[in-house]
Amino acid sequence: MSDQWREICDVVTVAESRILDEAPLLLCGVDQTFVTIIEPFRIHSVEPLRITTASEREAAIENAGFNLFNLHSQDVLIDLLTDSGTGAMSRDQWAAIQHGDESYAGSPSWFRFEAAVKELFPFKHVIPTHQGRAAEKIIFTVLGGPGKVIPNNTHFDTTRANVEASGAEARDMVIPEGHDAAVIHPFKGNIDLGTLELLLAQSAADVPVVFLTITNNSGGGQPVSLANIRAASELCHHYGVPLFLDACRFAENAWFIHEREEGQSGREISDIVREIASLADGMTMSAKKDPFGNIGGWLALNDDDVAESCRNVLILTEGFPTYGGLAGRDLEALAQGLKEAVHPDYLRYRIRSTAYLGDALDAVGVPVVKPIGGHAVYIDAKSLLPHVPPLHYPGQSLAIALYQAGGIRSCEIGSVMFARQPDGTEVPAAMELVRLAIPRRTYTQSHIDYVIEVVTSVAKEAASLPGYRMTHEPKSLRHFTARFEPIR
Ligand SMILES: Cc1ncc(COP(=O)(O)O)c(C=O)c1O
């Protein structure tokens, strides 16, 4: 931990005032002369936003069964549902698309994509997929199965669902600080090494792979330290178990390591990423996040036999191994996006502009997960709506209210997403969060100022928000298509 972060963790109140003192606006310029951080790009083409009335939004959310996933995006003003596939591509990515070669096998676009992936993640085998969950489906089909346990700091929803679909158990073991929205810790996404060691010492034979999600999306977008990845790697290898990364937000995680971890500030981001990769035996990737793709993903790994089994599943479900569910043009866009994702000017802007939203909400007393994560601000709905019990879904209630008030679409990450257990019971999630995910390079500071105004106004009325019950619940990944009604 760097000295600055040691101090921050020692005295939380000092930490809060210090973060705010240092960062009242988008600040911390590169050359120290001026402190405002600007978007390191200018706008090249624009998309119109449709402004709706309150009564239009009332009707839209009711038609959607009070599920924000069911809304027509035309009825949304600021769409913070996800940062997945929603970012703006660069001029150079659009140019790269023109080089897309759509040959079925052995396209030059594939070789450019493979080289770009291996430049940062030098795994022996790269298996392209149409998005992250396809990579998960393939690896857990091969490595999962009944009686197996897959540990992770926190499984993302699709990861958990794919583990469970194979018959294996998905076990979360983030450090205790990762469950407390208010605790300040520089690497709240770290896996609990003691818990992991206990499991491996008792039953390593039942653990086909250990996963680390960087950054930890379901736990507040919090980073994992290099030291934690190194220690997890040593532990796994001591017990002969491979370590895999769920690496969607690898560049944001590497930036946090660069900023917060002792001895890392002088390093290139790409160098930190390569070291992270060198500690793992494989990875899954949703390229719709840090690699700036609107679609795409991959599975990469070193083991020849496992790779062969995975390619067999790939051919069955995705496509030939040199395109795997993607068009040549997508492969080109991703190869270029990977180069842009590790640029320090972009990452400085990205992380600071997310914190700008979180710090502003914190300053007006809206409870948020702290410190602010990389790709999103997470509002602690359990604290803001203490009158709504977890199984009446306080996060869903808040997310609906943000849409009704200001056309902002967010995402519940709490009991709607996680409470239903494989045995059919409903157990409240560890946290009831509402995620405001920031699409990459998409919204300006005034859009975010509007979000701050809307959230602040809804938070003032939080005591009047109702709980919800589900009127339709699908069997798996219920949050995507469930329907609700308010409990009056
Ligand atoms: C941590 C994490 N893993 C996996 C996925 C799944 O990726 P995809 O949506 O591309 O299937 C996501 C998507 O949000 C994610 O955040």
Side-chain angles (χ1 to χ4, degrees), residues 112-413:
R112 270 191 286 276
F113 168 83
E114 187 191 33
V117 171
K118 286 191 171 178
E119 172 72 21
L120 290 170
F121 304 99
F123 294 112
K124 197 166 164 196
H125 303 278
V126 178
I127 297 174
T129 59
H130 79 277
Q131 62 183 91
R133 69 198 69 186
E136 293 164 1
K137 172 79 183 156
I138 292 171
I139 194 69
F140 297 128
T141 299
V142 172
L143 295 182
K148 305 274 174 60
V149 181
I150 317 276
N152 202 325
N153 40 358
T154 313
H155 288 84
F156 185 64
D157 59 355
T158 60
T159 326
R160 170 172 288 279
N162 273 304
V163 168
E164 290 172 354
S166 81
E169 179 194 338
R171 198 174 294 178
D172 292 342
M173 39 182 79
V174 74
I175 56 171
E177 291 88 339
H179 291 302
D180 187 334
V183 167
I184 301 276
H185 184 289
F187 294 103
K188 262 172 126 168
N190 283 354
I191 196 164
D192 190 326
L193 296 164
T195 311
L196 178 61
E197 175 147 38
L198 206 61
L199 173 68
L200 293 176
Q202 280 169 355
S203 48
D206 298 334
V207 181
V209 61
V210 172
F211 260 77
L212 266 181
T213 305
I214 60 170
T215 58
N216 189 22
N217 186 6
S218 305
Q222 299 292 324
V224 180
S225 71
L226 192 52
N228 190 255
I229 300 171
R230 198 177 291 125
S233 168
E234 280 165 14
L235 208 51
C236 288
H237 295 146
H238 175 75
Y239 287 97
V241 175
L243 175 69
F244 270 50
L245 305 165
D246 176 348
C248 314
R249 300 178 182 85
F250 69 96
E252 293 169 3
N253 200 99
W255 179 258
F256 282 120
I257 288 173
H258 180 271
E259 294 297 287
R260 295 180 183 175
E261 198 159 346
E262 195 84 68
Q264 301 301 318
S265 61
R267 297 180 71 186
E268 300 265 333
I269 299 301
S270 51
D271 189 34
I272 295 174
V273 174
R274 273 188 292 273
E275 182 173 352
I276 293 172
S278 75
L279 295 167
D281 304 283
M283 67 187 293
T284 54
M285 170 62 95
S286 168
K288 300 168 74 174
K289 280 80 171 181
D290 278 355
F292 292 119
N294 295 134
I295 195 72
W298 68 83
L299 168 67
L301 68 166
N302 288 329
D303 187 291
D304 295 335
D305 293 337
V306 177
E308 169 140 1
S309 303
C310 288
R311 282 204 180 93
N312 290 336
V313 182
L314 179 89
I315 291 171
L316 207 61
T317 58
E318 290 280 290
F320 189 73
T322 64
Y323 72 85
L326 290 169
R329 55 180 170 271
D330 299 324
L331 295 167
E332 294 280 359
L334 293 174
Q336 174 60 27
L338 277 171
K339 294 187 177 68
E340 296 170 13
V342 291
H343 198 292
D345 290 350
Y346 160 69
L347 286 169
R348 182 178 293 107
Y349 141 79
R350 169 75 175 158
I351 299 302
R352 184 58 214 132
S353 56
T354 303
Y356 173 77
L357 169 58
D359 289 347
L361 295 181
D362 185 32
V364 296
V366 176
V368 290
V369 174
K370 291 193 276 186
I372 306 305
H375 67 293
V377 172
Y378 294 69
I379 303 173
D380 179 0
K382 204 189 267 183
S383 311
L384 194 58
L385 282 70
H387 61 288
V388 178
L391 295 182
H392 290 174
Y393 314 130
Q396 188 69 14
S397 173
L398 179 60
I400 291 165
L402 295 178
Y403 175 71
Q404 288 167 326
I408 296 167
R409 178 154 67 170
S410 55
C411 184
E412 192 264 11
I413 304 224

